[in-house]
Amino acid sequence: MHISAFGAALRTPDLRKKILFTLGLLAVYRLGSVLPTPGVDYSAIQRCIDVVQDNSVYALINLFSGGALLQLSVFALGIMPYITASIILQLLTVVIPRLETLKKDGQAGQAIITQYTRYLTIGLAILQSTAILSLARTPGALFSGCNEAIIPNDSVWVILVMITVMTAGTAVIMWFGELITERGIGNGMSLLIFTSIISSIPAQFASILGSRGILSLTFTVLIGLVVIALVVFVEQAQRRIPVQYAKRMVGRRMYGGTSTYIPLKVNMAGVIPVIFASSLLFLPTLLVQLTGSQADWAIWVQQNFGTGTGTYYLMAYFVLVVFFCYFYVSITFNPVEVADNMKKYGGFIPGIRAGKPTADYLDYVLTRLTAPGSLYLGMIAVLPVFAFGSLGVAGDFIFGGTSLLIMVGVGLDTVKQIEAQLQQRNYEGFLR
């Protein structure tokens, strides 16, 4: 979006209120991310973070919470319980008929699914906060190599208060996200993740500048800009399937006779496969960290998966991203359902018969699109690691493909929404 367009958005009263409302909630969200939970020794937390700051595993854990998780702040859990709950319900929709029926019921059914998502989010928040605090109450368990007493008073009542505060923090974040979506600009949940990610970038740049110098920082920024340009180019790419609707008489009115298209994006899965793959590959390292095992398999896992830059890790990462890309597209886009809906309303693809031939054609096109899309996702996930590793800044700059995809995707979506609202307000019609 051009600077003049952004200025026009700020000059539009209604749009300005939405932008300022969104920025205000994001500011409160960041404030809650650094506000300690009652019962936590803040100075001990900071000393432990200094001890493990060079550990890439802890850096990846902290990335999506914007530094809040390891500080055990009020918003320590961030938005991830809600994202996890949304993904679980989306997957369950395929196997549970009740959820599938609700999904087809339109807005009323979606409201019920949203309510289920909220309940599941609170349940996951309770489980996650309990697990984190059970580690934190034992010195050296949460922060490997740091034996500070993070929670000086670990009585049952203090732990219960901390669990309640962290769970309530997750509920407040969920409320913020829904408020931004309803009364602000953009998708609230995506903007909260976006804010968490970019909040850590200045510190990472400062770390690179202090340890590697201005030349490494310059090349790091250039590599990031090249990858962002590639992501923008591919995220905008789509295959448009033309659809023609036949004319039909309903009562005394004629409907149909229009042409439209089905937009099939090259990257239909978005960032979900990368999140799935990185989460799955994080489990072996987490298991070693929690058990403290010194067995041969634990040493091998730590050497090859602990840094996030090993050859075996990157190979497994690429393969899992491609697999989850096909898997997620297959459960989110149903060619048979789309073909049936087209046939129901008199639509057809020129040159393709309605019904099963249309479904087969859509499946064929989707499979061919998913192939380059999955390879693109795998490359975006892996190439920044190679590039930043060659500069020697991979340990200081935990800013890989997942972060880039989320930042670019959220940025493009927010800009499109602002531009759409500007066009809606400035449209003058044909009579002028």
Side-chain angles (χ1 to χ4, degrees):
M1 184 173 63
H2 297 97
I3 300 298
S4 58
F6 186 74
L10 292 178
R11 288 192 299 270
T12 305
D14 186 29
L15 201 52
R16 182 174 63 247
K17 288 180 181 179
K18 290 186 175 183
I19 293 175
L20 294 177
F21 178 79
T22 301
L23 293 176
L25 285 184
L26 293 179
V28 175
Y29 169 64
R30 287 306 304 155
L31 177 63
S33 298
V34 297
L35 187 66
T37 300
V40 171
D41 187 340
Y42 186 74
S43 58
I45 283 278
Q46 298 307 312
R47 290 194 292 270
C48 285
I49 290 177
D50 292 337
V51 171
V52 301
Q53 63 180 352
D54 295 328
N55 191 317
S56 62
V57 174
Y58 288 99
L60 288 172
I61 294 173
N62 225 19
L63 179 63
F64 289 107
S65 64
L69 180 57
L70 293 185
Q71 296 188 43
L72 297 182
S73 68
V74 175
F75 291 165
L77 301 180
I79 198 63
M80 293 314 293
Y82 182 86
I83 299 299
T84 305
S86 300
I87 293 173
I88 290 174
L89 278 175
Q90 198 167 23
L91 295 176
L92 289 178
T93 302
V94 183
V95 297
I96 299 180
R98 165 66 176 166
L99 293 177
E100 188 174 4
T101 303
L102 288 174
K103 184 179 179 180
K104 294 179 179 179
D105 283 346
Q107 189 173 357
Q110 190 60 45
I112 298 176
I113 293 179
T114 301
Q115 197 65 23
Y116 290 162
T117 306
R118 292 169 182 163
Y119 295 147
L120 183 57
T121 300
I122 298 301
L124 290 175
I126 294 173
L127 289 176
Q128 291 183 19
S129 59
T130 303
I132 292 171
L133 292 175
S134 65
L135 289 174
R137 65 189 299 186
T138 304
L142 182 62
F143 296 95
S144 180
C146 180
N147 295 320
E148 296 275 355
I150 300 172
I151 305 176
N153 181 5
D154 60 350
S155 64
V156 175
W157 290 112
V158 172
I159 297 297
L160 285 176
V161 169
M162 295 178 71
I163 292 173
T164 303
V165 170
M166 293 173 71
T167 303
T170 298
V172 171
I173 293 174
M174 182 169 56
W175 180 51
F176 281 178
E178 293 179 356
L179 278 179
I180 292 174
T181 303
E182 181 182 352
R183 298 173 53 187
I185 292 292
N187 183 287
M189 303 302 175
S190 300
L191 281 173
L192 292 176
I193 297 177
F194 177 86
T195 305
S196 297
I197 292 174
I198 65 172
S199 66
S200 61
I201 294 178
Q204 293 174 11
F205 280 154
S207 175
I208 295 172
L209 181 62
S211 61
R212 301 287 177 176
I214 187 66
L215 188 61
S216 293
L217 176 61
T218 303
F219 279 112
T220 301
V221 173
L222 288 176
I223 290 173
L225 291 176
V226 169
V227 176
I228 287 174
L230 176 63
V231 171
V232 171
F233 178 76
V234 179
E235 288 296 316
Q236 299 284 75
Q238 58 181 221
R239 168 74 183 275
R240 296 182 175 182
I241 307 295
V243 178
Q244 182 74 37
Y245 283 91
K247 293 182 178 180
R248 55 196 179 97
M249 184 71 71
V250 179
R252 294 187 177 183
R253 301 189 64 178
M254 181 73 72
Y255 291 91
T258 59
S259 297
T260 184
Y261 61 86
I262 302 174
L264 298 180
K265 294 180 64 177
V266 173
N267 179 23
M268 289 279 289
V271 73
I272 298 299
V274 181
I275 295 177
F276 277 8
S278 57
S279 300
L280 193 61
L281 286 176
F282 171 67
L283 292 179
T285 307
L286 180 63
L287 181 62
V288 173
Q289 293 277 355
L290 295 179
T291 59
S293 174
Q294 296 298 322
D296 291 340
W297 67 270
I299 296 175
W300 186 89
V301 167
Q302 194 64 33
Q303 290 176 345
N304 292 280
F305 287 79
T307 61
T309 58
T311 303
Y312 289 109
Y313 177 90
L314 294 178
M315 290 172 59
Y317 196 12
F318 184 87
V319 171
L320 285 175
V321 168
V322 173
F323 168 76
F324 281 122
C325 189
Y326 275 95
F327 172 75
Y328 190 74
V329 169
S330 67
I331 66 173
T332 54
F333 186 89
N334 189 345
V336 176
E337 183 180 348
V338 174
D340 290 342
N341 289 334
M342 287 171 54
K343 184 177 180 180
K344 179 180 178 181
Y345 294 103
F348 62 93
I349 300 174
I352 308 294
R353 294 181 59 185
K356 188 177 184 303
T358 297
D360 293 340
Y361 175 75
L362 290 174
D363 183 63
Y364 170 75
V365 173
L366 189 64
T367 302
R368 295 191 62 176
L369 276 179
T370 305
S374 61
L375 294 177
Y376 146 78
L377 276 181
M379 291 174 61
I380 289 297
V382 171
L383 285 181
V385 178
F386 280 114
F388 295 135
S390 64
L391 293 175
V393 299
D396 299 313
F397 197 54
I398 310 299
F399 186 53
T402 306
S403 306
L404 288 170
L405 285 168
I406 292 175
M407 289 177 59
V408 173
V410 174
L412 287 175
D413 180 62
T414 305
V415 166
K416 285 179 180 178
Q417 288 200 30
I418 294 176
E419 288 185 335
Q421 295 202 29
L422 275 177
Q423 291 176 0
Q424 183 179 5
R425 284 164 174 77
N426 296 332
Y427 181 68
E428 297 177 345
F430 297 104
L431 299 179
R432 180 173 174 82

